[in-house]
Amino acid sequence: MISNPVKVGIIGQGRSGRNIHAETLKKLGDKYVIAAVSDELEERRSRAIADYGCDAYGDYREMMKRTDLDLIVNATPSHLHVPVSMELLEAGFHVLCEKPLARTIGDVDRLIAASKRAGKVLAIFQQYRYFPVIQEINKVLDSGVLGRIVQISIAANGFSRRWDWQTLKSRNGGNLLNTGAHFVDLSLQWLGTEKLPGILCRMDSANSFGDAEDYCKLILNSPGKPLFDIEISSCCAYPGPTYSIQGKNGGLKATNSAIEWKYFKPEEAPHRELDLQPLSNEDGMPVYCKEELTWYAGSWKSGEGPAYPAPAVAFYHMLYDTLTEGKPLTVTPEHVRQQMAIMEEAFRQNPQFAPDEMLASNG
């Protein structure tokens, strides 16, 4: 096992490598130390040296020559996640790769095989499971007060134009791979991973300056399970709640910082039986079914109740236990493999947004 603290190298000092990973690790000095970073831009290397007291390299392969690194974070652009992670595993490093891990099931299988051959951990940074709002939603679902869950909707919507590399198919850009990776992962935790669900997907491009999609509607359907409706849109001028849950006894709505839910108790509701006779009021006028139910309500806001660590911090705590004590990962490559299976089918249904190599393999 790795001794404390875990010595980390980070490939990339962009929005993810610096703003998320390095800044998170800086807060966890009792468990991690940033020993080295790499980035092609000199100003980013200089800033890392000043802020983290680490070494910096212009080429990550130079950093790989070090023998004191326990873990390397792969925060390269998305299209490099597979080849760079493969290099790192084959060189004998534990790897934490940013999402999306890959674009196809085949690539995930190759990385899993490389991890097993090397006897090294392959972790994927999908920290959304650790968001406080998700922990609180889980509490409501586990309580059973909403009854049988009929539908769970997740909407990561807004209105924006985008023109960076994440709008390109060749860079594994687009809303499904980059934002949808989190929400497909959450859906599989609620849906279950025993069997791949039925999949319906529609994509569009409205405000993207690249050739990748910026609108995605994904429907996941399994017999006896809730219907999952995932929408990631960059052309929604009136976004609603991020999470909406419909249940037999009530429902829930949530943003990333607050939840409201309400429900009735079936045992307290008036006794009803199917009535095939025309319904009328006391004056004999036709009416719809109408009754008064006693509603119970609950709410939660960020900062109320138990204190949760930031999602990235919680993820790194979990990874530390894996690296130093051998505890199992919460987010496994096998979980991500099923996520990739869903995404691969989504792109098959929307070939104009699929990568060229996928179209070639489908003939």
Side-chain angles (χ1 to χ4, degrees):
M1 295 297 171
I2 295 172
S3 59
N4 184 56
V6 176
K7 290 187 177 180
V8 184
I10 306 173
I11 303 177
Q13 283 293 283
R15 293 189 306 266
S16 175
R18 176 184 171 82
N19 296 353
I20 298 176
H21 292 279
E23 288 299 299
T24 298
L25 290 168
K26 186 178 180 180
K27 300 172 184 175
L28 299 172
D30 58 328
K31 295 185 175 181
Y32 294 93
V33 59
I34 303 172
V37 303
S38 69
D39 197 282
E40 294 179 352
L41 300 180
E42 182 179 357
E43 61 268 27
R44 292 183 175 181
R45 297 196 300 271
S46 298
R47 186 177 294 115
I49 292 170
D51 290 349
Y52 309 127
C54 62
D55 296 328
Y57 302 84
D59 187 335
Y60 71 89
R61 291 186 176 91
E62 290 299 313
M63 184 173 72
M64 287 174 62
K65 294 178 181 179
R66 296 175 64 127
T67 59
D68 62 334
L69 299 179
D70 303 308
L71 171 72
I72 295 186
V73 177
N74 181 1
T76 59
S78 300
H79 67 296
L80 298 176
H81 288 176
V82 171
V84 172
S85 293
M86 187 67 71
E87 277 188 77
L88 296 172
L89 289 168
E90 291 176 344
F93 293 102
H94 296 297
V95 177
L96 171 58
C97 184
E98 257 293 348
K99 57 80 192 164
L101 175 62
R103 185 134 198 180
T104 66
I105 300 173
D107 280 340
V108 177
D109 286 342
R110 290 197 302 117
L111 289 170
I112 291 174
S115 173
K116 291 180 178 178
R117 283 195 306 270
K120 297 298 179 180
V121 170
L122 171 62
I124 303 92
F125 190 65
Q126 301 224 209
Q127 77 278 29
Y128 267 48
R129 294 192 203 180
Y130 294 96
F131 263 86
V133 69
I134 300 304
Q135 307 302 309
E136 293 295 327
I137 288 174
N138 285 338
K139 289 180 182 179
V140 177
L141 293 174
D142 292 343
S143 74
V145 297
L146 302 183
R148 179 176 62 84
I149 303 303
V150 176
Q151 177 174 316
I152 297 180
S153 300
I154 305 174
N157 291 344
F159 196 98
S160 64
R161 305 196 306 166
R162 192 166 184 175
W163 52 91
D164 63 351
W165 64 265
Q166 286 188 321
T167 67
L168 296 172
K169 293 192 301 182
S170 62
R171 299 293 184 93
N172 284 359
N175 281 11
L176 179 57
L177 280 170
N178 287 283
T179 303
H182 291 304
F183 298 124
V184 174
D185 177 67
L186 288 178
S187 296
L188 287 171
Q189 304 318 300
W190 288 324
L191 183 63
T193 57
E194 306 86 23
K195 187 178 180 181
L196 198 68
I199 300 162
L200 174 64
C201 183
R202 293 293 178 268
M203 296 179 180
D204 201 342
S205 179
N207 290 321
S208 172
F209 283 73
D211 58 358
E213 88 288 346
D214 66 358
Y215 171 88
C216 179
K217 169 74 78 170
L218 182 63
I219 305 294
L220 306 179
N221 185 32
S222 292
K225 302 280 188 174
L227 180 74
F228 279 80
D229 182 332
I230 303 171
E231 184 174 279
I232 310 124
S233 174
S234 298
C235 54
C236 179
Y238 296 99
T242 305
Y243 305 95
S244 179
I245 298 178
Q246 302 177 39
K248 183 178 179 180
N249 299 340
L252 176 151
K253 66 177 181 178
T255 65
N256 283 326
S257 60
I259 309 173
E260 295 179 36
W261 65 93
K262 67 178 184 178
Y263 59 94
F264 78 97
K265 298 178 179 180
E267 66 273 16
E268 296 179 358
H271 176 72
R272 301 293 182 188
E273 294 182 358
L274 180 64
D275 187 352
L276 298 181
Q277 298 302 314
L279 299 180
S280 303
N281 64 13
E282 294 178 354
D283 297 328
M285 297 298 292
V287 295
Y288 286 102
C289 296
K290 185 178 181 181
E291 65 181 353
E292 295 294 331
L293 296 173
T294 300
W295 288 96
Y296 297 84
S299 65
W300 172 88
K301 291 182 180 179
S302 181
E304 295 180 350
Y308 292 100
V313 169
F315 184 96
Y316 268 107
H317 280 310
M318 178 275 296
L319 182 58
Y320 178 83
D321 291 342
T322 297
L323 294 173
T324 61
E325 301 178 26
K327 292 184 178 180
L329 292 167
T330 300
V331 184
T332 69
E334 288 74 19
H335 290 157
V336 175
R337 185 186 191 278
Q338 189 158 12
Q339 179 192 125
M340 286 297 114
I342 290 172
M343 292 184 175
E344 198 168 336
E345 173 59 21
F347 284 113
R348 189 195 67 79
Q349 295 178 18
N350 297 268
Q352 69 272 38
F353 298 111
D356 295 336
E357 60 269 22
M358 184 182 293
L359 296 176
S361 65
N362 290 336

